[in-house]
Amino acid sequence: MAASSPESRAHRARRRAAWLLALAAAAPVAAQQPPPAQQEILLEAASSDFDRRGERLLFRDVRIQQGDIVITAATAETRDLEFTSGTWEFSGDVTLDGPMGSIESDRASIGFTDHRLQFARAEGAPARFARTMPGPEARRVQGTANQISYDLSAGELTLQGQARLSDGLREASGAKLVYRIAEERLIASADEEGGERVRIIITPPEEEPEPEPEREPTP
């Protein structure tokens, strides 16, 4: 029986390298709770314009809040003012703040179902994510990517395209990073062509200098 041939270089390049990185090695984190149903939605804007032909609403300098989730942008367009089942298109200094952290981007598509936010897809050059991790020694998780997607029901943040995520001590980069917020875990993957490989950098903490011994006073 002929021996199996070694794995080809092309096949190796297509294989995805998955890495698990614990960004929070400290205390456990409470599971993320879904937002309550039928929570009030507040929309404020500098102006609004109804395109009757296109059946679209355009808002300028808009702010939308539902509980502790706040969305702001220079402009917003939608066909679903009731937030029942539709997508809002935001552009210009888009910010999404919530329990999962903060996302800043040039533009974003945010979907609502049954008056609740379901997903957000932000794009920028790059789009940015930041979150302060709870605990006695609070550290800040920061990330950048060409596209950042947030799945509210799954509690997952996906960074794609030149993705990078760091907590100050550890940094992971790759074509795609999936950040499981409640678990404080990260799955990093290379691209299928093997051009953008997973890279992890560990920065050792700085050692505090030892205090100098006290000198006895001279008589």
Side-chain angles (χ1 to χ4, degrees), residues 184-201:
E184 296 290 353
R185 297 183 70 87
L186 182 69
I187 301 174
S189 303
D191 60 9
E192 294 183 356
E193 290 76 20
E196 191 175 355
R197 303 183 66 187
V198 174
R199 187 180 184 188
I200 298 176
I201 301 175

Side-chain angles (χ1 to χ4, degrees), residues 23-24 27-33 96-104 128-135 137-144 148 150 155-157 159 164-168 179-185:
L23 287 180
V29 180
Q32 182 179 354
Q33 297 297 324
L96 170 62
D97 288 312
M100 81 297 178
S102 175
I103 299 174
E104 297 178 353
R128 301 180 181 277
F129 167 76
R131 178 174 188 256
T132 300
M133 296 164 54
E137 297 181 1
R139 284 181 288 137
R140 192 163 177 81
V141 176
Q142 299 184 82
T144 58
I148 299 177
Y150 173 49
E156 284 188 355
L157 198 79
L159 296 85
R164 183 188 67 84
L165 197 66
S166 171
D167 68 349
Y179 180 33
R180 296 176 180 172
I181 299 174
E183 302 175 24
E184 296 290 353
R185 297 183 70 87

Side-chain angles (χ1 to χ4, degrees), residues 49 76-77 88 109 141 144 154 169 184-186 198 207 217-218:
D49 182 11
E77 292 186 37
W88 286 66
S109 299
V141 176
T144 58
L169 297 178
E184 296 290 353
R185 297 183 70 87
L186 182 69
V198 174
E207 297 183 359
T218 55

